[in-house]
Amino acid sequence: SSVGIDQISFYTSNFFFDLRTLAQVQDTDPDKYYQGIGQEKMGMAAHDEDVVTMAANAAYPLVQGDVAQEISTLMFATETGIDQSKAAAVYVHRLLGLSDNCRAVELKQACYSATAALQMACALVARQPEKKVLVIASDIARYELNTPGEATQGCGAVAMLVTANPRVLSIDPEVGNYTEDVMDFWRPNYRKTALVDGKYSTKIYLRALKKAWENYTSVSSLTFADFSHFCYHLPFSRMAQKAHQHLAKVNKSELSAEQLEAQIADTLRYNKTIGNSYTASMYIGLASLLENSAQDMADQRIGLFSYGSGCVAEFFAGQVVAGYQQHLFKDAHLAMLDAREEVDYDQYLKLYAAPDPQEGECVEIPAATTGRFRLAKIDNHKREYVVA
Ligand code: CAA
């Protein structure tokens, strides 16, 4: 039987910062952002929100009724974790009321680890098809102010329920992998923001795409022409356009520029207004495609390219299950994005500086998120989460 994504739900903060405002402050042409990197807005987490609350909010719709007790493993992918030891998954396990007998763990490899989690989840379910595995990816993308990376910040979380006979996307077992030790983007333990060699990172991304694709075609009989759509890791939407043109060229595809664009355009919609969400971004792109495609995608094959700086890359494929539309959360997602509040430059700078009581002092955090879960307090080095 098939294994894959039974349901997919995402969450982002209720605040956003428009890149037009950033351009104005920096005296830059807004088209550099709107056109050049293909980004319009970026989600800014409230101070009472972090990767844990965003993750719980994303997963909440998937764990209604009996499902909460049926999940045997929770895998939490992030590169902006809140603790060097304790897995963010353990906090989320409590907030969601999962079974005491559920396994909970955190995975890290830059923006890639959600894909490792998804593949491991598929392997677990293939071995014991009655099990359900919850995969969550959640990140807050932060670069130094006044650096080229600043416009590519954002935040978001995605949750996927992995089961046998999935109702949304069955995942093929064949994968193409590529790993290489490079320093394109990294964040040492003592830093809040990432270090990045921006131009180099985009080159490595494209090289890793070619290498992962070559590995994929050596193990799969599928070719470029077998895919109707492609989802790429989305640090910014222009990156996916460059990647897709690159892959088309590698494959000597004869599709026109318009046809190539149509294969990825729907994956970019949410990302343009949420920004980079690191581990979550490709999967928010997948939700964007499934929820916004004008055509019925039943039985079509989607190619997915996951990239994590440093670097690890993977190309894999999924086949859309007939009737998938009935299992999406499109209306809730659109309503959430619609209800967001714009912040001005001063508010953006305030949100940028998240509470960080390093001496163990008690910080009560005023309510600001409209999400169901919030970070109410940090006291004696402990983060206290509540249902809002
Ligand atoms: N109108 C239209 N387009 C304009 C423009 C204008 N007025 N001004 C500039 N542009 C275009 C440029 O021509 C350029 O397009 P091309 O790339 O097609 O040439 C584009 O806008 C960007 O301009 P710059 O190259 O000058 O931008 P920059 O150097 O200031 O920043 C960046 C770009 C290096 C990607 C930067 O955003 C960055 O460092 N981002 C963070 C790193 C990143 O996201 N890397 C991606 C690969 S790594 C990864 O994927 C992992 C991850 O999540 C981080």
Side-chain angles (χ1 to χ4, degrees), residues 245-298:
Q245 283 157 13
H246 187 66
L247 193 62
K249 206 167 146 199
V250 165
N251 285 287
K252 303 186 172 64
S253 166
E254 284 172 3
L255 294 181
S256 67
E258 291 73 26
Q259 286 169 317
L260 290 173
E261 179 62 18
Q263 292 186 315
I264 59 168
D266 287 326
T267 70
L268 311 179
R269 290 177 192 275
Y270 296 155
N271 180 271
K272 280 174 186 281
T273 70
I274 291 174
N276 197 353
S277 54
Y278 292 160
T279 52
S281 80
M282 184 184 77
Y283 295 97
I284 293 179
L286 172 63
S288 180
L289 169 64
L290 295 169
E291 293 172 11
N292 293 296
S293 171
Q295 37 159 307
D296 183 355
M297 292 183 59

Side-chain angles (χ1 to χ4, degrees), residues 84-324:
Q84 298 290 349
S85 170
K86 179 168 173 169
V90 179
Y91 299 94
V92 173
H93 172 274
R94 176 176 64 80
L95 291 172
L96 296 179
L98 303 188
S99 157
D100 290 352
N101 305 115
C102 172
R103 175 194 282 132
V105 69
E106 185 172 311
L107 290 88
K108 177 175 69 185
Q109 178 15 63
C111 306
Y112 164 74
S113 64
T115 300
L118 178 63
Q119 295 294 359
M120 291 178 195
C122 288
L124 285 172
V125 173
R127 181 165 163 165
Q128 290 186 297
E130 73 285 2
K131 302 281 189 198
K132 290 183 163 72
V133 178
L134 181 59
V135 172
I136 307 181
S138 182
D139 269 309
I140 296 175
R142 277 271 190 291
Y143 295 88
E144 290 284 319
L145 299 172
N146 305 313
T147 63
E150 183 176 6
T152 66
Q153 299 177 105
C155 66
V158 68
M160 295 175 278
L161 195 63
V162 176
T163 67
N165 302 312
R167 292 173 293 176
V168 170
L169 189 74
S170 79
I171 306 278
D172 294 347
E174 296 80 12
V175 300
N177 286 118
Y178 181 70
T179 296
E180 183 186 351
D181 185 2
V182 286
M183 298 302 277
D184 59 331
F185 170 108
W186 68 106
R187 185 167 66 86
N189 286 345
Y190 47 83
R191 285 184 62 100
K192 292 274 167 222
T193 55
L195 294 162
V196 62
D197 188 341
K199 288 276 185 293
Y200 178 59
S201 71
T202 61
K203 282 201 187 84
I204 296 289
Y205 179 120
L206 296 180
R207 179 159 90 206
L209 168 61
K210 182 168 181 277
K211 297 281 191 178
W213 172 258
E214 284 168 358
N215 184 228
Y216 179 75
T217 51
S218 75
V219 297
S220 169
S221 57
L222 297 177
T223 66
F224 187 77
D226 291 315
F227 297 96
S228 67
H229 295 85
F230 292 79
C231 290
Y232 292 90
H233 167 54
L234 296 172
F236 50 91
S237 72
R238 267 294 279 154
M239 190 71 230
Q241 291 169 322
K242 286 187 183 199
H244 196 45
Q245 283 157 13
H246 187 66
L247 193 62
K249 206 167 146 199
V250 165
N251 285 287
K252 303 186 172 64
S253 166
E254 284 172 3
L255 294 181
S256 67
E258 291 73 26
Q259 286 169 317
L260 290 173
E261 179 62 18
Q263 292 186 315
I264 59 168
D266 287 326
T267 70
L268 311 179
R269 290 177 192 275
Y270 296 155
N271 180 271
K272 280 174 186 281
T273 70
I274 291 174
N276 197 353
S277 54
Y278 292 160
T279 52
S281 80
M282 184 184 77
Y283 295 97
I284 293 179
L286 172 63
S288 180
L289 169 64
L290 295 169
E291 293 172 11
N292 293 296
S293 171
Q295 37 159 307
D296 183 355
M297 292 183 59
D299 302 324
Q300 295 191 350
R301 267 220 161 63
I302 302 175
L304 299 106
F305 175 68
S306 180
Y307 176 77
S309 290
C311 73
V312 176
E314 180 161 328
F315 190 94
F316 65 105
Q319 192 168 23
V320 182
V321 180
Y324 69 99

